[in-house]
Amino acid sequence: MTPSLDELVAWLGRWSAGRGPMYLLLAARVRQLIDEGLLPPGAPLPPDRRLATALSVGRTTVVAAYDTLRQEGRLVRRQGSGTRVAPTALTPPGPRPPETSNPMFLHLLEPSDGVILLSCAAPPSPPALVAESYARIVLPTDDLGYHPAGLPVLRAAVARRYRARGVPTEPDQILVTTGAQQGIGLLTRLLVAPGDAVLVEAPSYPGALDLFREAAAVPTPVAVGPDGLDVAAAVEVMERRRPALAYVVPHLHNPTGTVLPPLLGRRLVAAAEAYGVPLVEDEVLSELRFDDSAGPDASAAAVPPLSSYGREVIGVGSLSKCVWGGLRTGWVRGPAPLIARLARLKALHDLGSDVPGQLVAARLLDSFEPLLRARVAELRAGHDLLRAELARRLPSWECPPAVGGQTLWVGLPYGDGVSFAQIALRHGVAVLPGSTMDALGGSGRMLRLHFLLAPDTLTEAVRRLAAAWAEYRPGVASGPGTALHAIAV
């Protein structure tokens, strides 16, 4: 597989966050991609100027990096035919399986090296209650430990949570998964065949877009506006294309933070049922609202899920955002026959999720409201601090308030997020460009920034962003390879 320019830039990742001349840092990262087989023998590389523009560096940096690899025998450069990976006898047989080029995931795979990660929105550490719960669980003494559908105690706890939100649910309608990502992946494998259309929002959660592309599906994007998904356009897509699946984030949309009004939600559910389109609702962020629904006397029913409007809606949730990403506990809620099929598919892959983690999750869900209120209070404080710092240091950026969730959807006054992200990396902060989340090809001037870090770290992150913005000039690359030292957080 030959990557596109955008994919190559994503694979390069935090190549510039190290020590030494920039051309050597770039050469080292390209060398690694070649050695790992991501850049196969004979694969063409972008022309010097195009790659320099995409990376916001001087052309001489790219030329020097290419020449270094040419001297090593890893690249072949010929006048008129461009630059290619050198041929080798070690070509792996058959097509390579697809691999993620999503910068959100690639940043997790790379060492921290002093870069502040505003690209992956997840709690930076577990609350004390998680460790306390692990200390108090009692493992079963007469149990094999394999539960493909999930531990009964956790399935019952999740079902009670849905009932508290106004959605009648029985334990056999719950499948426990290793995080919401696995839940979306299982649904994709079960319901989507190569070439099928999948209705998605634009922009949308990039992890889901990766899964649909891995399945060789055809994402069919529908724009998200101030009130969330354009439901009229979505209904038209359902009628015209009959997608194999529709994936939406109606409450505290990722990344825009919008909330779909109830009347539009009802219309969306009715259309999905009328046209026989499985409707998957991502609920991972739906309870992280900042308004009165998060108050001490609040009910979890304050934000009803789409499944309250129709029995066939498939919900996907997890504890990763409300509690901690390291507690790899998620779930799928749906009709019992669908859950049984998903459980058989999950058994094929892992025989069931971690039992101690499921026991901890069940304990947390049984007394969830205090933990949720504490998380929402932390998020609101981070939200207010990040907006205040952005207004102080970067007043030209568009930064509307969010009504909940973990991120701000920020607009640059000019330029594009991908090229600015390269400059930001060299100043020691990683951001997620909006175009990586938009199957329509839009959101080019947008950034998704999360506010989950400690106050002093958030303040430092904005200081670095301001320094990067002072350097940034769209369409004008930075100077040639200069030394860059890692910045300690």
Side-chain angles (χ1 to χ4, degrees), residues 103-104 107 115-120 397 417-418 420-422 424-425 429-434 436 447-449 465:
M104 181 180 68
H107 286 157
V115 174
I116 300 175
L117 293 182
L118 293 185
S119 51
C120 184
W397 288 19
V418 172
F420 173 71
Q422 291 294 320
L425 273 174
V429 58
V431 297
L432 192 62
T436 65
L447 302 174
R448 196 195 73 173
L449 308 178
L465 287 175

mmCIF file with all atom_site columns, all heavy atoms in Angstrom, residues 103-104 107 115-120 397 417-418 420-422 424-425 429-434 436 447-449 465:
data_model
loop_
_atom_site.group_PDB
_atom_site.id
_atom_site.type_symbol
_atom_site.label_atom_id
_atom_site.label_alt_id
_atom_site.label_comp_id
_atom_site.label_asym_id
_atom_site.label_entity_id
_atom_site.label_seq_id
_atom_site.pdbx_PDB_ins_code
_atom_site.Cartn_x
_atom_site.Cartn_y
_atom_site.Cartn_z
_atom_site.occupancy
_atom_site.B_iso_or_equiv
_atom_site.pdbx_formal_charge
_atom_site.auth_seq_id
_atom_site.auth_comp_id
_atom_site.auth_asym_id
_atom_site.auth_atom_id
_atom_site.pdbx_PDB_model_num
ATOM 1   N N   . PRO A 1 103 ? -3.483  10.302 13.640 1.00 0.00 ? 103 PRO A N   1
ATOM 2   C CA  . PRO A 1 103 ? -2.501  10.890 14.564 1.00 0.00 ? 103 PRO A CA  1
ATOM 3   C C   . PRO A 1 103 ? -2.876  10.719 16.022 1.00 0.00 ? 103 PRO A C   1
ATOM 4   O O   . PRO A 1 103 ? -2.004  10.661 16.891 1.00 0.00 ? 103 PRO A O   1
ATOM 5   C CB  . PRO A 1 103 ? -2.468  12.369 14.150 1.00 0.00 ? 103 PRO A CB  1
ATOM 6   C CG  . PRO A 1 103 ? -3.720  12.604 13.387 1.00 0.00 ? 103 PRO A CG  1
ATOM 7   C CD  . PRO A 1 103 ? -4.047  11.305 12.725 1.00 0.00 ? 103 PRO A CD  1
ATOM 8   N N   . MET A 1 104 ? -4.179  10.623 16.329 1.00 0.00 ? 104 MET A N   1
ATOM 9   C CA  . MET A 1 104 ? -4.600  10.424 17.712 1.00 0.00 ? 104 MET A CA  1
ATOM 10  C C   . MET A 1 104 ? -4.034  9.115  18.265 1.00 0.00 ? 104 MET A C   1
ATOM 11  O O   . MET A 1 104 ? -3.528  9.053  19.388 1.00 0.00 ? 104 MET A O   1
ATOM 12  C CB  . MET A 1 104 ? -6.132  10.409 17.780 1.00 0.00 ? 104 MET A CB  1
ATOM 13  C CG  . MET A 1 104 ? -6.711  10.235 19.169 1.00 0.00 ? 104 MET A CG  1
ATOM 14  S SD  . MET A 1 104 ? -8.510  10.220 19.139 1.00 0.00 ? 104 MET A SD  1
ATOM 15  C CE  . MET A 1 104 ? -8.839  8.678  18.276 1.00 0.00 ? 104 MET A CE  1
ATOM 16  N N   . HIS A 1 107 ? 0.080   9.049  18.218 1.00 0.00 ? 107 HIS A N   1
ATOM 17  C CA  . HIS A 1 107 ? 0.701   9.735  19.347 1.00 0.00 ? 107 HIS A CA  1
ATOM 18  C C   . HIS A 1 107 ? 0.760   8.835  20.581 1.00 0.00 ? 107 HIS A C   1
ATOM 19  O O   . HIS A 1 107 ? 1.669   8.944  21.396 1.00 0.00 ? 107 HIS A O   1
ATOM 20  C CB  . HIS A 1 107 ? -0.071  11.010 19.671 1.00 0.00 ? 107 HIS A CB  1
ATOM 21  C CG  . HIS A 1 107 ? 0.168   12.107 18.681 1.00 0.00 ? 107 HIS A CG  1
ATOM 22  N ND1 . HIS A 1 107 ? -0.721  13.141 18.486 1.00 0.00 ? 107 HIS A ND1 1
ATOM 23  C CD2 . HIS A 1 107 ? 1.179   12.336 17.819 1.00 0.00 ? 107 HIS A CD2 1
ATOM 24  C CE1 . HIS A 1 107 ? -0.255  13.948 17.554 1.00 0.00 ? 107 HIS A CE1 1
ATOM 25  N NE2 . HIS A 1 107 ? 0.893   13.484 17.133 1.00 0.00 ? 107 HIS A NE2 1
ATOM 26  N N   . VAL A 1 115 ? 6.542   16.067 24.819 1.00 0.00 ? 115 VAL A N   1
ATOM 27  C CA  . VAL A 1 115 ? 5.454   16.711 24.087 1.00 0.00 ? 115 VAL A CA  1
ATOM 28  C C   . VAL A 1 115 ? 4.180   16.656 24.922 1.00 0.00 ? 115 VAL A C   1
ATOM 29  O O   . VAL A 1 115 ? 3.804   15.610 25.453 1.00 0.00 ? 115 VAL A O   1
ATOM 30  C CB  . VAL A 1 115 ? 5.222   16.032 22.725 1.00 0.00 ? 115 VAL A CB  1
ATOM 31  C CG1 . VAL A 1 115 ? 4.001   16.599 22.030 1.00 0.00 ? 115 VAL A CG1 1
ATOM 32  C CG2 . VAL A 1 115 ? 6.450   16.192 21.842 1.00 0.00 ? 115 VAL A CG2 1
ATOM 33  N N   . ILE A 1 116 ? 3.501   17.792 25.057 1.00 0.00 ? 116 ILE A N   1
ATOM 34  C CA  . ILE A 1 116 ? 2.202   17.828 25.736 1.00 0.00 ? 116 ILE A CA  1
ATOM 35  C C   . ILE A 1 116 ? 1.140   17.362 24.755 1.00 0.00 ? 116 ILE A C   1
ATOM 36  O O   . ILE A 1 116 ? 0.974   17.942 23.679 1.00 0.00 ? 116 ILE A O   1
ATOM 37  C CB  . ILE A 1 116 ? 1.888   19.244 26.237 1.00 0.00 ? 116 ILE A CB  1
ATOM 38  C CG1 . ILE A 1 116 ? 2.946   19.723 27.230 1.00 0.00 ? 116 ILE A CG1 1
ATOM 39  C CG2 . ILE A 1 116 ? 0.511   19.290 26.892 1.00 0.00 ? 116 ILE A CG2 1
ATOM 40  C CD1 . ILE A 1 116 ? 2.758   21.163 27.685 1.00 0.00 ? 116 ILE A CD1 1
ATOM 41  N N   . LEU A 1 117 ? 0.428   16.308 25.114 1.00 0.00 ? 117 LEU A N   1
ATOM 42  C CA  . LEU A 1 117 ? -0.552  15.719 24.211 1.00 0.00 ? 117 LEU A CA  1
ATOM 43  C C   . LEU A 1 117 ? -1.921  16.356 24.412 1.00 0.00 ? 117 LEU A C   1
ATOM 44  O O   . LEU A 1 117 ? -2.640  16.020 25.357 1.00 0.00 ? 117 LEU A O   1
ATOM 45  C CB  . LEU A 1 117 ? -0.638  14.212 24.434 1.00 0.00 ? 117 LEU A CB  1
ATOM 46  C CG  . LEU A 1 117 ? 0.588   13.375 24.061 1.00 0.00 ? 117 LEU A CG  1
ATOM 47  C CD1 . LEU A 1 117 ? 0.306   11.903 24.305 1.00 0.00 ? 117 LEU A CD1 1
ATOM 48  C CD2 . LEU A 1 117 ? 0.980   13.604 22.608 1.00 0.00 ? 117 LEU A CD2 1
ATOM 49  N N   . LEU A 1 118 ? -2.281  17.260 23.513 1.00 0.00 ? 118 LEU A N   1
ATOM 50  C CA  . LEU A 1 118 ? -3.656  17.756 23.451 1.00 0.00 ? 118 LEU A CA  1
ATOM 51  C C   . LEU A 1 118 ? -4.439  17.032 22.368 1.00 0.00 ? 118 LEU A C   1
ATOM 52  O O   . LEU A 1 118 ? -5.524  17.461 21.988 1.00 0.00 ? 118 LEU A O   1
ATOM 53  C CB  . LEU A 1 118 ? -3.672  19.263 23.181 1.00 0.00 ? 118 LEU A CB  1
ATOM 54  C CG  . LEU A 1 118 ? -3.134  20.166 24.285 1.00 0.00 ? 118 LEU A CG  1
ATOM 55  C CD1 . LEU A 1 118 ? -3.327  21.632 23.910 1.00 0.00 ? 118 LEU A CD1 1
ATOM 56  C CD2 . LEU A 1 118 ? -3.817  19.879 25.620 1.00 0.00 ? 118 LEU A CD2 1
ATOM 57  N N   . SER A 1 119 ? -3.882  15.939 21.867 1.00 0.00 ? 119 SER A N   1
ATOM 58  C CA  . SER A 1 119 ? -4.464  15.239 20.727 1.00 0.00 ? 119 SER A CA  1
ATOM 59  C C   . SER A 1 119 ? -5.345  14.069 21.135 1.00 0.00 ? 119 SER A C   1
ATOM 60  O O   . SER A 1 119 ? -6.237  13.680 20.376 1.00 0.00 ? 119 SER A O   1
ATOM 61  C CB  . SER A 1 119 ? -3.351  14.741 19.807 1.00 0.00 ? 119 SER A CB  1
ATOM 62  O OG  . SER A 1 119 ? -2.383  14.020 20.545 1.00 0.00 ? 119 SER A OG  1
ATOM 63  N N   . CYS A 1 120 ? -5.101  13.461 22.263 1.00 0.00 ? 120 CYS A N   1
ATOM 64  C CA  . CYS A 1 120 ? -5.881  12.302 22.707 1.00 0.00 ? 120 CYS A CA  1
ATOM 65  C C   . CYS A 1 120 ? -6.612  12.659 23.992 1.00 0.00 ? 120 CYS A C   1
ATOM 66  O O   . CYS A 1 120 ? -5.987  12.839 25.040 1.00 0.00 ? 120 CYS A O   1
ATOM 67  C CB  . CYS A 1 120 ? -4.976  11.097 22.937 1.00 0.00 ? 120 CYS A CB  1
ATOM 68  S SG  . CYS A 1 120 ? -5.892  9.601  23.367 1.00 0.00 ? 120 CYS A SG  1
ATOM 69  N N   . TRP A 1 397 ? -8.164  33.371 17.641 1.00 0.00 ? 397 TRP A N   1
ATOM 70  C CA  . TRP A 1 397 ? -8.734  32.041 17.428 1.00 0.00 ? 397 TRP A CA  1
ATOM 71  C C   . TRP A 1 397 ? -10.207 32.023 17.846 1.00 0.00 ? 397 TRP A C   1
ATOM 72  O O   . TRP A 1 397 ? -10.589 32.645 18.849 1.00 0.00 ? 397 TRP A O   1
ATOM 73  C CB  . TRP A 1 397 ? -7.978  31.001 18.238 1.00 0.00 ? 397 TRP A CB  1
ATOM 74  C CG  . TRP A 1 397 ? -6.602  30.689 17.717 1.00 0.00 ? 397 TRP A CG  1
ATOM 75  C CD1 . TRP A 1 397 ? -5.845  31.450 16.878 1.00 0.00 ? 397 TRP A CD1 1
ATOM 76  C CD2 . TRP A 1 397 ? -5.834  29.522 18.024 1.00 0.00 ? 397 TRP A CD2 1
ATOM 77  N NE1 . TRP A 1 397 ? -4.645  30.848 16.642 1.00 0.00 ? 397 TRP A NE1 1
ATOM 78  C CE2 . TRP A 1 397 ? -4.606  29.658 17.327 1.00 0.00 ? 397 TRP A CE2 1
ATOM 79  C CE3 . TRP A 1 397 ? -6.050  28.411 18.814 1.00 0.00 ? 397 TRP A CE3 1
ATOM 80  C CZ2 . TRP A 1 397 ? -3.607  28.700 17.412 1.00 0.00 ? 397 TRP A CZ2 1
ATOM 81  C CZ3 . TRP A 1 397 ? -5.049  27.456 18.905 1.00 0.00 ? 397 TRP A CZ3 1
ATOM 82  C CH2 . TRP A 1 397 ? -3.847  27.590 18.207 1.00 0.00 ? 397 TRP A CH2 1
ATOM 83  N N   . GLY A 1 417 ? -5.132  23.357 9.788  1.00 0.00 ? 417 GLY A N   1
ATOM 84  C CA  . GLY A 1 417 ? -4.731  22.681 11.015 1.00 0.00 ? 417 GLY A CA  1
ATOM 85  C C   . GLY A 1 417 ? -3.585  21.714 10.840 1.00 0.00 ? 417 GLY A C   1
ATOM 86  O O   . GLY A 1 417 ? -2.763  21.545 11.749 1.00 0.00 ? 417 GLY A O   1
ATOM 87  N N   . VAL A 1 418 ? -3.496  21.037 9.681  1.00 0.00 ? 418 VAL A N   1
ATOM 88  C CA  . VAL A 1 418 ? -2.445  20.043 9.495  1.00 0.00 ? 418 VAL A CA  1
ATOM 89  C C   . VAL A 1 418 ? -1.071  20.704 9.492  1.00 0.00 ? 418 VAL A C   1
ATOM 90  O O   . VAL A 1 418 ? -0.143  20.252 10.178 1.00 0.00 ? 418 VAL A O   1
ATOM 91  C CB  . VAL A 1 418 ? -2.683  19.261 8.185  1.00 0.00 ? 418 VAL A CB  1
ATOM 92  C CG1 . VAL A 1 418 ? -1.482  18.365 7.884  1.00 0.00 ? 418 VAL A CG1 1
ATOM 93  C CG2 . VAL A 1 418 ? -3.945  18.415 8.297  1.00 0.00 ? 418 VAL A CG2 1
ATOM 94  N N   . PHE A 1 420 ? -0.290  23.704 10.651 1.00 0.00 ? 420 PHE A N   1
ATOM 95  C CA  . PHE A 1 420 ? -0.002  24.309 11.949 1.00 0.00 ? 420 PHE A CA  1
ATOM 96  C C   . PHE A 1 420 ? 0.396   23.250 12.973 1.00 0.00 ? 420 PHE A C   1
ATOM 97  O O   . PHE A 1 420 ? 1.258   23.480 13.830 1.00 0.00 ? 420 PHE A O   1
ATOM 98  C CB  . PHE A 1 420 ? -1.202  25.102 12.476 1.00 0.00 ? 420 PHE A CB  1
ATOM 99  C CG  . PHE A 1 420 ? -0.995  25.592 13.884 1.00 0.00 ? 420 PHE A CG  1
ATOM 100 C CD1 . PHE A 1 420 ? -0.090  26.599 14.157 1.00 0.00 ? 420 PHE A CD1 1
ATOM 101 C CD2 . PHE A 1 420 ? -1.669  25.008 14.950 1.00 0.00 ? 420 PHE A CD2 1
ATOM 102 C CE1 . PHE A 1 420 ? 0.144   27.021 15.464 1.00 0.00 ? 420 PHE A CE1 1
ATOM 103 C CE2 . PHE A 1 420 ? -1.458  25.427 16.248 1.00 0.00 ? 420 PHE A CE2 1
ATOM 104 C CZ  . PHE A 1 420 ? -0.543  26.438 16.504 1.00 0.00 ? 420 PHE A CZ  1
ATOM 105 N N   . ALA A 1 421 ? -0.221  22.060 12.904 1.00 0.00 ? 421 ALA A N   1
ATOM 106 C CA  . ALA A 1 421 ? 0.111   20.997 13.854 1.00 0.00 ? 421 ALA A CA  1
ATOM 107 C C   . ALA A 1 421 ? 1.587   20.628 13.776 1.00 0.00 ? 421 ALA A C   1
ATOM 108 O O   . ALA A 1 421 ? 2.194   20.253 14.791 1.00 0.00 ? 421 ALA A O   1
ATOM 109 C CB  . ALA A 1 421 ? -0.755  19.770 13.596 1.00 0.00 ? 421 ALA A CB  1
ATOM 110 N N   . GLN A 1 422 ? 2.176   20.722 12.587 1.00 0.00 ? 422 GLN A N   1
ATOM 111 C CA  . GLN A 1 422 ? 3.601   20.423 12.457 1.00 0.00 ? 422 GLN A CA  1
ATOM 112 C C   . GLN A 1 422 ? 4.455   21.454 13.206 1.00 0.00 ? 422 GLN A C   1
ATOM 113 O O   . GLN A 1 422 ? 5.414   21.103 13.888 1.00 0.00 ? 422 GLN A O   1
ATOM 114 C CB  . GLN A 1 422 ? 3.986   20.385 10.974 1.00 0.00 ? 422 GLN A CB  1
ATOM 115 C CG  . GLN A 1 422 ? 3.397   19.223 10.217 1.00 0.00 ? 422 GLN A CG  1
ATOM 116 C CD  . GLN A 1 422 ? 3.942   17.894 10.691 1.00 0.00 ? 422 GLN A CD  1
ATOM 117 O OE1 . GLN A 1 422 ? 5.131   17.757 10.972 1.00 0.00 ? 422 GLN A OE1 1
ATOM 118 N NE2 . GLN A 1 422 ? 3.072   16.903 10.809 1.00 0.00 ? 422 GLN A NE2 1
ATOM 119 N N   . ALA A 1 424 ? 3.362   23.255 15.737 1.00 0.00 ? 424 ALA A N   1
ATOM 120 C CA  . ALA A 1 424 ? 3.076   23.059 17.159 1.00 0.00 ? 424 ALA A CA  1
ATOM 121 C C   . ALA A 1 424 ? 3.915   21.924 17.733 1.00 0.00 ? 424 ALA A C   1
ATOM 122 O O   . ALA A 1 424 ? 4.410   22.018 18.870 1.00 0.00 ? 424 ALA A O   1
ATOM 123 C CB  . ALA A 1 424 ? 1.588   22.785 17.357 1.00 0.00 ? 424 ALA A CB  1
ATOM 124 N N   . LEU A 1 425 ? 4.083   20.839 16.966 1.00 0.00 ? 425 LEU A N   1
ATOM 125 C CA  . LEU A 1 425 ? 4.906   19.727 17.443 1.00 0.00 ? 425 LEU A CA  1
ATOM 126 C C   . LEU A 1 425 ? 6.327   20.180 17.744 1.00 0.00 ? 425 LEU A C   1
ATOM 127 O O   . LEU A 1 425 ? 6.940   19.754 18.722 1.00 0.00 ? 425 LEU A O   1
ATOM 128 C CB  . LEU A 1 425 ? 4.933   18.615 16.391 1.00 0.00 ? 425 LEU A CB  1
ATOM 129 C CG  . LEU A 1 425 ? 3.808   17.589 16.436 1.00 0.00 ? 425 LEU A CG  1
ATOM 130 C CD1 . LEU A 1 425 ? 3.914   16.652 15.246 1.00 0.00 ? 425 LEU A CD1 1
ATOM 131 C CD2 . LEU A 1 425 ? 3.852   16.793 17.736 1.00 0.00 ? 425 LEU A CD2 1
ATOM 132 N N   . VAL A 1 429 ? 3.974   20.559 21.573 1.00 0.00 ? 429 VAL A N   1
ATOM 133 C CA  . VAL A 1 429 ? 2.573   20.280 21.891 1.00 0.00 ? 429 VAL A CA  1
ATOM 134 C C   . VAL A 1 429 ? 1.919   19.636 20.677 1.00 0.00 ? 429 VAL A C   1
ATOM 135 O O   . VAL A 1 429 ? 2.119   20.073 19.538 1.00 0.00 ? 429 VAL A O   1
ATOM 136 C CB  . VAL A 1 429 ? 1.822   21.565 22.320 1.00 0.00 ? 429 VAL A CB  1
ATOM 137 C CG1 . VAL A 1 429 ? 1.878   22.625 21.246 1.00 0.00 ? 429 VAL A CG1 1
ATOM 138 C CG2 . VAL A 1 429 ? 0.385   21.269 22.701 1.00 0.00 ? 429 VAL A CG2 1
ATOM 139 N N   . ALA A 1 430 ? 1.188   18.544 20.909 1.00 0.00 ? 430 ALA A N   1
ATOM 140 C CA  . ALA A 1 430 ? 0.515   17.809 19.842 1.00 0.00 ? 430 ALA A CA  1
ATOM 141 C C   . ALA A 1 430 ? -0.966  18.158 19.842 1.00 0.00 ? 430 ALA A C   1
ATOM 142 O O   . ALA A 1 430 ? -1.628  18.093 20.884 1.00 0.00 ? 430 ALA A O   1
ATOM 143 C CB  . ALA A 1 430 ? 0.694   16.305 20.032 1.00 0.00 ? 430 ALA A CB  1
ATOM 144 N N   . VAL A 1 431 ? -1.487  18.544 18.680 1.00 0.00 ? 431 VAL A N   1
ATOM 145 C CA  . VAL A 1 431 ? -2.904  18.865 18.533 1.00 0.00 ? 431 VAL A CA  1
ATOM 146 C C   . VAL A 1 431 ? -3.484  17.996 17.432 1.00 0.00 ? 431 VAL A C   1
ATOM 147 O O   . VAL A 1 431 ? -2.768  17.447 16.593 1.00 0.00 ? 431 VAL A O   1
ATOM 148 C CB  . VAL A 1 431 ? -3.106  20.357 18.201 1.00 0.00 ? 431 VAL A CB  1
ATOM 149 C CG1 . VAL A 1 431 ? -2.598  21.226 19.331 1.00 0.00 ? 431 VAL A CG1 1
ATOM 150 C CG2 . VAL A 1 431 ? -2.436  20.730 16.887 1.00 0.00 ? 431 VAL A CG2 1
ATOM 151 N N   . LEU A 1 432 ? -4.802  17.848 17.415 1.00 0.00 ? 432 LEU A N   1
ATOM 152 C CA  . LEU A 1 432 ? -5.480  17.011 16.432 1.00 0.00 ? 432 LEU A CA  1
ATOM 153 C C   . LEU A 1 432 ? -6.137  17.904 15.384 1.00 0.00 ? 432 LEU A C   1
ATOM 154 O O   . LEU A 1 432 ? -7.096  18.624 15.683 1.00 0.00 ? 432 LEU A O   1
ATOM 155 C CB  . LEU A 1 432 ? -6.536  16.134 17.117 1.00 0.00 ? 432 LEU A CB  1
ATOM 156 C CG  . LEU A 1 432 ? -7.134  15.008 16.267 1.00 0.00 ? 432 LEU A CG  1
ATOM 157 C CD1 . LEU A 1 432 ? -6.048  14.026 15.844 1.00 0.00 ? 432 LEU A CD1 1
ATOM 158 C CD2 . LEU A 1 432 ? -8.233  14.293 17.035 1.00 0.00 ? 432 LEU A CD2 1
ATOM 159 N N   . PRO A 1 433 ? -5.637  17.900 14.139 1.00 0.00 ? 433 PRO A N   1
ATOM 160 C CA  . PRO A 1 433 ? -6.245  18.728 13.090 1.00 0.00 ? 433 PRO A CA  1
ATOM 161 C C   . PRO A 1 433 ? -7.647  18.250 12.738 1.00 0.00 ? 433 PRO A C   1
ATOM 162 O O   . PRO A 1 433 ? -7.916  17.045 12.674 1.00 0.00 ? 433 PRO A O   1
ATOM 163 C CB  . PRO A 1 433 ? -5.290  18.553 11.905 1.00 0.00 ? 433 PRO A CB  1
ATOM 164 C CG  . PRO A 1 433 ? -4.035  17.983 12.471 1.00 0.00 ? 433 PRO A CG  1
ATOM 165 C CD  . PRO A 1 433 ? -4.445  17.189 13.660 1.00 0.00 ? 433 PRO A CD  1
ATOM 166 N N   . GLY A 1 434 ? -8.544  19.201 12.488 1.00 0.00 ? 434 GLY A N   1
ATOM 167 C CA  . GLY A 1 434 ? -9.927  18.854 12.195 1.00 0.00 ? 434 GLY A CA  1
ATOM 168 C C   . GLY A 1 434 ? -10.096 18.034 10.940 1.00 0.00 ? 434 GLY A C   1
ATOM 169 O O   . GLY A 1 434 ? -11.005 17.193 10.855 1.00 0.00 ? 434 GLY A O   1
ATOM 170 N N   . THR A 1 436 ? -8.497  15.561 9.896  1.00 0.00 ? 436 THR A N   1
ATOM 171 C CA  . THR A 1 436 ? -8.322  14.133 10.131 1.00 0.00 ? 436 THR A CA  1
ATOM 172 C C   . THR A 1 436 ? -9.595  13.483 10.644 1.00 0.00 ? 436 THR A C   1
ATOM 173 O O   . THR A 1 436 ? -9.671  12.262 10.735 1.00 0.00 ? 436 THR A O   1
ATOM 174 C CB  . THR A 1 436 ? -7.194  13.880 11.143 1.00 0.00 ? 436 THR A CB  1
ATOM 175 O OG1 . THR A 1 436 ? -7.555  14.414 12.419 1.00 0.00 ? 436 THR A OG1 1
ATOM 176 C CG2 . THR A 1 436 ? -5.902  14.529 10.691 1.00 0.00 ? 436 THR A CG2 1
ATOM 177 N N   . LEU A 1 447 ? -9.137  22.784 14.924 1.00 0.00 ? 447 LEU A N   1
ATOM 178 C CA  . LEU A 1 447 ? -8.328  21.941 15.805 1.00 0.00 ? 447 LEU A CA  1
ATOM 179 C C   . LEU A 1 447 ? -9.224  21.414 16.918 1.00 0.00 ? 447 LEU A C   1
ATOM 180 O O   . LEU A 1 447 ? -10.112 22.125 17.395 1.00 0.00 ? 447 LEU A O   1
ATOM 181 C CB  . LEU A 1 447 ? -7.181  22.731 16.446 1.00 0.00 ? 447 LEU A CB  1
ATOM 182 C CG  . LEU A 1 447 ? -6.167  23.430 15.551 1.00 0.00 ? 447 LEU A CG  1
ATOM 183 C CD1 . LEU A 1 447 ? -5.224  24.262 16.418 1.00 0.00 ? 447 LEU A CD1 1
ATOM 184 C CD2 . LEU A 1 447 ? -5.385  22.430 14.722 1.00 0.00 ? 447 LEU A CD2 1
ATOM 185 N N   . ARG A 1 448 ? -8.971  20.187 17.348 1.00 0.00 ? 448 ARG A N   1
ATOM 186 C CA  . ARG A 1 448 ? -9.629  19.677 18.551 1.00 0.00 ? 448 ARG A CA  1
ATOM 187 C C   . ARG A 1 448 ? -8.610  19.679 19.683 1.00 0.00 ? 448 ARG A C   1
ATOM 188 O O   . ARG A 1 448 ? -7.567  19.032 19.594 1.00 0.00 ? 448 ARG A O   1
ATOM 189 C CB  . ARG A 1 448 ? -10.166 18.261 18.335 1.00 0.00 ? 448 ARG A CB  1
ATOM 190 C CG  . ARG A 1 448 ? -11.174 17.843 19.403 1.00 0.00 ? 448 ARG A CG  1
ATOM 191 C CD  . ARG A 1 448 ? -11.424 16.357 19.412 1.00 0.00 ? 448 ARG A CD  1
ATOM 192 N NE  . ARG A 1 448 ? -10.302 15.613 19.964 1.00 0.00 ? 448 ARG A NE  1
ATOM 193 C CZ  . ARG A 1 448 ? -10.327 14.295 20.202 1.00 0.00 ? 448 ARG A CZ  1
ATOM 194 N NH1 . ARG A 1 448 ? -11.391 13.586 19.899 1.00 0.00 ? 448 ARG A NH1 1
ATOM 195 N NH2 . ARG A 1 448 ? -9.263  13.688 20.717 1.00 0.00 ? 448 ARG A NH2 1
ATOM 196 N N   . LEU A 1 449 ? -8.924  20.430 20.744 1.00 0.00 ? 449 LEU A N   1
ATOM 197 C CA  . LEU A 1 449 ? -8.043  20.533 21.906 1.00 0.00 ? 449 LEU A CA  1
ATOM 198 C C   . LEU A 1 449 ? -8.784  20.034 23.141 1.00 0.00 ? 449 LEU A C   1
ATOM 199 O O   . LEU A 1 449 ? -9.918  20.453 23.391 1.00 0.00 ? 449 LEU A O   1
ATOM 200 C CB  . LEU A 1 449 ? -7.614  21.989 22.135 1.00 0.00 ? 449 LEU A CB  1
ATOM 201 C CG  . LEU A 1 449 ? -7.022  22.751 20.946 1.00 0.00 ? 449 LEU A CG  1
ATOM 202 C CD1 . LEU A 1 449 ? -6.708  24.188 21.364 1.00 0.00 ? 449 LEU A CD1 1
ATOM 203 C CD2 . LEU A 1 449 ? -5.783  22.066 20.413 1.00 0.00 ? 449 LEU A CD2 1
ATOM 204 N N   . LEU A 1 465 ? 1.489   26.846 22.181 1.00 0.00 ? 465 LEU A N   1
ATOM 205 C CA  . LEU A 1 465 ? 0.665   27.080 20.988 1.00 0.00 ? 465 LEU A CA  1
ATOM 206 C C   . LEU A 1 465 ? 0.810   28.516 20.503 1.00 0.00 ? 465 LEU A C   1
ATOM 207 O O   . LEU A 1 465 ? 0.869   28.773 19.291 1.00 0.00 ? 465 LEU A O   1
ATOM 208 C CB  . LEU A 1 465 ? -0.800  26.770 21.294 1.00 0.00 ? 465 LEU A CB  1
ATOM 209 C CG  . LEU A 1 465 ? -1.191  25.299 21.439 1.00 0.00 ? 465 LEU A CG  1
ATOM 210 C CD1 . LEU A 1 465 ? -2.653  25.186 21.852 1.00 0.00 ? 465 LEU A CD1 1
ATOM 211 C CD2 . LEU A 1 465 ? -0.950  24.539 20.129 1.00 0.00 ? 465 LEU A CD2 1
#
